[in-house]
Amino acid sequence: MDQKKQDKWEDRSGKLCACDYRSTPERKKHSAVHTYTATLNSFTAFSDGKGDVMPTEQVFTPGVLKEYQDWMRQKGASWNTVSTYMRVLRAVYNRLSPPGNAGHNPKLFDGVYTKVESKTKRALTEGQMQTLSNADFDLLPEDVKCVLAWFLLMFMFRGMPFIDLAHLRKSDVKGRTIVYCRHKTGKQMVVSIPQEAIKLFEQFTDKNPDSPYLFPILNGQLKDEWKLYRCYLEALRNFNRKLEKIGKLLLPGVKISSYTARHTWATLSYYMGTAIGIIS
């Protein structure tokens, strides 16, 4: 990125809001880095299309923000993508001009879309989960067998998120339990390995003795945090592609994603009478 493009995102202290975020070694929030970088790349493409370098004071105006929103929609961006990028811009604006300071406009983003709405039904019914659980693995294509197994294990492990499953280590297994820390919160979790999970667990764990990971999802040779995160992103994309394929094979018309196991476990647990506090 050339210096002029960087200057568009430079705050008054000379620190980049997006790029400097990634280069700071103590920061490990790679998902935020990914989102900030994507926003920067998107806005750079928008401003390049206008044929000039846009000073910071011109970026944060109602007119430019509305133009940027319209440009994204014309490029086929979903409303959730628009919302994500606008919320990143709002965070940058609040850093440049903190709320309460002179010159801060609390209504600057009122004219653009910043909501988050999901129109997708994420939870499966009990019958649909039984269909997946009873699937004959011998009849499935080789490339989706491990994906279905991991999806079922995520459900059996109390709706474990894919990012936590991917980062599980062999050392996390303590007999018939798994003790690990949530990737998102750092909170320690203890889950049992139920009887019905044992066959899948034994068949689809990583057999490579040199890999520290419990499942062959991440590259065990990677030591760099950023490269490992990129590896995870690619694994997540592949996981969701294969889940879509499984949906077409076993549950036609039903969309399955990496979130589905977690939401299904929570929903079915709720209808079984489990207290919301325990589910949470």
Side-chain angles (χ1 to χ4, degrees):
M1 184 186 301
D2 61 45
Q3 187 60 45
K4 288 183 178 180
K5 290 179 180 177
Q6 287 190 356
D7 287 343
K8 290 184 295 183
W9 285 71
E10 199 169 10
D11 67 14
R12 296 190 180 105
S13 64
K15 295 181 180 179
L16 291 177
C17 297
C19 299
D20 191 57
Y21 191 97
R22 182 172 65 183
S23 64
T24 307
E26 66 270 23
R27 303 206 183 192
K28 302 298 183 182
K29 302 295 185 180
H30 296 303
S31 60
V33 173
H34 179 74
T35 304
Y36 270 64
T37 302
T39 305
L40 175 58
N41 291 339
S42 173
F43 195 89
T44 298
F46 161 71
S47 60
D48 284 351
K50 296 175 69 66
D52 57 2
V53 175
M54 193 178 299
T56 301
E57 59 269 19
Q58 291 183 19
V59 171
F60 296 107
T61 62
V64 168
L65 293 174
K66 185 64 167 62
E67 281 187 63
Y68 177 45
Q69 175 174 280
D70 293 342
W71 177 85
M72 284 192 283
R73 290 293 290 166
Q74 290 170 5
K75 293 291 183 180
S78 68
W79 281 114
N80 271 355
T81 297
V82 171
S83 174
T84 297
Y85 291 177
M86 286 300 177
R87 284 182 286 118
V88 167
L89 287 175
R90 185 171 60 190
V92 173
Y93 175 71
N94 287 337
R95 179 179 175 183
L96 294 173
S97 178
N101 281 16
H104 178 83
N105 181 2
K107 298 184 177 181
L108 178 60
F109 288 83
D110 286 0
V112 293
Y113 189 77
T114 56
K115 297 179 181 179
V116 179
E117 296 180 0
S118 177
K119 298 180 180 179
T120 303
K121 181 183 177 183
R122 292 182 171 182
L124 300 179
T125 66
E126 183 177 357
Q128 290 168 338
M129 274 305 303
Q130 288 178 348
T131 297
L132 297 181
S133 300
N134 296 331
D136 188 340
F137 275 72
D138 293 335
L139 300 179
L140 292 176
E142 285 296 326
D143 64 329
V144 302
K145 290 182 179 179
C146 61
V147 171
L148 178 56
W150 296 335
F151 179 86
L152 294 174
L153 288 172
M154 287 163 59
F155 175 80
M156 295 177 192
F157 295 160
R158 298 192 313 200
M160 180 181 290
F162 180 70
I163 192 169
D164 289 347
L165 185 86
H167 286 85
L168 285 180
R169 294 176 173 267
K170 294 171 182 175
S171 58
D172 293 333
V173 180
K174 315 293 184 183
R176 287 283 298 273
T177 62
I178 299 174
V179 182
Y180 71 101
C181 290
R182 280 291 314 277
H183 197 85
K184 182 177 181 180
T185 64
K187 181 180 179 180
Q188 186 181 79
M189 305 291 290
V190 180
V191 298
S192 62
I193 303 174
Q195 183 64 37
E196 58 269 25
I198 293 178
K199 183 178 179 180
L200 293 175
F201 185 82
E202 293 178 345
Q203 184 175 353
F204 291 97
T205 49
D206 196 337
K207 304 303 190 296
N208 180 1
D210 296 324
S211 174
Y213 295 111
L214 187 58
F215 297 102
I217 298 173
L218 301 178
N219 185 342
Q221 303 304 312
L222 293 178
K223 305 300 180 185
D224 179 83
E225 289 286 339
W226 180 249
K227 290 181 179 179
L228 185 60
Y229 178 70
R230 300 291 298 190
C231 178
Y232 162 73
L233 286 182
E234 181 57 34
L236 177 62
R237 283 191 288 267
N238 185 60
F239 186 65
N240 280 319
R241 283 196 296 266
K242 298 296 176 59
L243 284 177
E244 185 177 355
K245 184 175 180 179
I246 289 171
K248 291 178 180 178
L249 289 171
L250 301 177
L251 296 173
V254 178
K255 185 175 180 180
I256 308 174
S257 75
S258 57
Y259 290 102
T260 306
R262 185 166 181 76
H263 285 268
T264 300
W265 180 84
T267 301
L268 296 183
S269 294
Y270 174 77
Y271 286 124
M272 290 176 62
T274 305
I276 293 178
I278 294 177
I279 295 173
S280 299

